[in-house]
Amino acid sequence: MNWDNIPLLIILALSMIGNNHTVSVSALVLLLIPKLGLENCFQFIDKQGINIGIIILTIAVLSPVAQGRIAMNEVLDVFKAPVGLLAVVIGIFLAWVAGQGVVFMKESPETVTALVVGTIIGVCFFRGLPVGPLIAGGLVALVVNALGLFKG
């Protein structure tokens, strides 16, 4: 048995317990890639996986607009309301945090497992939603950097 697979197996088990199908499928695919002799896919996934995932997510989020379920006047009205302006500010902040998460996860890939396990525990036991490791990684990076400032 390859001990390197233990983190993925733990993530798979926790995601199945937590009924998190997205993480379950992801862990299974990553466990199957070497078994199918497709190790070269890892380089592509490492380089393009996040971009492809973000493109697919963005398509899903913009789908109601493309289908005409959100009228132009509704889009314009939301920017006039305080909640709409707050949503823009928070959207900007979270996009920046997620960007920090990408950098942090590239610099500390070993923490990705901990982020995913934490997300699964939050989903399973605290009725949370899996918002993704990018934002979680960004928040970890902010805390780590903040703590680093206090050490000096």
Side-chain angles (χ1 to χ4, degrees):
M1 177 170 169
N2 184 351
W3 291 101
D4 292 339
N5 289 333
I6 296 296
L8 282 175
L9 291 169
I10 291 169
I11 289 170
L12 177 61
L14 288 172
S15 65
M16 291 173 72
I17 291 167
N19 204 24
N20 188 328
H21 302 295
T22 304
V23 175
S24 296
V25 169
S26 299
L28 277 173
V29 167
L30 292 171
L31 287 166
L32 285 174
I33 285 174
K35 303 294 181 212
L36 297 172
L38 302 172
E39 290 89 351
N40 292 339
C41 291
F42 284 130
Q43 289 177 338
F44 177 78
I45 293 168
D46 282 347
K47 290 182 182 175
Q48 301 299 326
I50 290 176
N51 290 335
I52 292 169
I54 290 170
I55 289 168
I56 292 170
L57 179 62
T58 304
I59 289 169
V61 169
L62 292 176
S63 178
V65 175
Q67 295 176 49
R69 292 189 312 192
I70 300 174
M72 187 61 180
N73 61 335
E74 292 175 311
V75 172
L76 295 175
D77 286 345
V78 78
F79 290 106
K80 298 175 188 173
V83 74
L85 297 174
L86 181 62
V88 169
V89 170
I90 290 174
I92 292 167
F93 174 71
L94 287 181
W96 177 78
V97 168
Q100 301 305 302
V102 171
V103 172
F104 178 73
M105 290 188 323
K106 285 182 181 176
E107 292 174 357
S108 304
E110 66 282 356
T111 60
V112 174
T113 301
L115 290 170
V116 172
V117 168
T119 300
I120 293 168
I121 291 169
V123 170
C124 294
F125 302 109
F126 298 100
R127 304 174 99 194
L129 295 173
V131 295
L134 294 179
I135 301 225
L139 291 174
V140 170
L142 290 177
V143 170
V144 166
N145 288 334
L147 293 175
L149 292 174
F150 294 122
K151 289 181 182 178

